[in-house]
Structures are given as C-alpha cells and as structure tokens.
Amino acid sequence: GPGCFVGEMLVNTKNGYKQIKDIKNGDEVYTHNGWLKKVINIIKYNTKETLIKINKIICTKKHEFYVIRKEHKNIVTEDNIHNYAHSA
C-alpha cells in the first residue's frame, strides 16, 4: 500500500533484524503473514511528508497497518496473529 517507513525501521530477516535502509536485493525477509520471501526490488523515496508514530513505528501518514480487534486482544499470540490481523 501507499506510505513509507523511515530508514531505521527494523525488519525481521532470515538472519535477524536489520534496518530497512540496509536491506538488499536477495535478502530474505519475513512478510506480514510470517512467510520468508526474497527481496526482489528496493524502492527508496526522499519525501518531505509529515511523519507519525504509531506503537513505536515511525512512518508517513498514508502507511497501512494490520490491526487486531479489541475482542481478540487477549487470545492473539505471535504464533496465531496472522489469523486475526485485519487491514486498516
């Protein structure tokens, strides 16, 4: 979706966490649904858009997130989060 993270944003990779600015083509990163995928394209923007902070994540205002409904907050774990995440 639209929107950008700042370069210092941490990304979970096959070899541990790396800053997004250090990710290269061919690196393997975990997707939003927990799958390990190879990076095939790097897109960098130099923007003057206003940044916001949501739960320690700094991004542009148009960045999309997956959210957990309040009624599921006590049953969601790292192992099942992908069953409960909804686009917002």
Side-chain angles (χ1 to χ4, degrees), residues 6-85:
V6 296
E8 291 75 25
M9 175 74 187
L10 293 178
V11 176
N12 194 4
T13 76
K14 181 179 179 180
N15 299 312
Y17 285 93
K18 290 174 72 172
Q19 290 185 341
I20 200 167
K21 67 182 179 181
D22 296 329
I23 299 293
K24 307 285 186 239
N25 282 334
D27 285 352
E28 293 183 273
V29 301
Y30 286 96
T31 66
H32 66 285
N33 56 12
W35 299 338
L36 197 57
K37 294 285 185 168
K38 193 173 284 192
V39 174
I40 59 170
N41 192 20
I42 304 289
I43 300 172
K44 294 182 181 182
Y45 294 103
N46 187 7
T47 182
K48 295 188 186 301
E49 286 186 56
T50 301
L51 298 176
I52 59 173
K53 188 174 188 178
I54 299 174
N55 294 338
K56 301 180 184 178
I57 298 172
I58 301 171
C59 61
T60 56
K61 289 182 179 182
K62 293 181 182 177
H63 204 286
E64 296 176 351
F65 286 86
Y66 284 94
V67 296
I68 305 300
R69 292 188 178 139
K70 286 183 182 181
E71 64 264 24
H72 298 141
K73 71 179 183 177
N74 293 325
I75 59 174
V76 173
T77 66
E78 286 297 320
D79 294 327
N80 70 12
I81 191 169
H82 309 297
N83 298 325
Y84 294 95

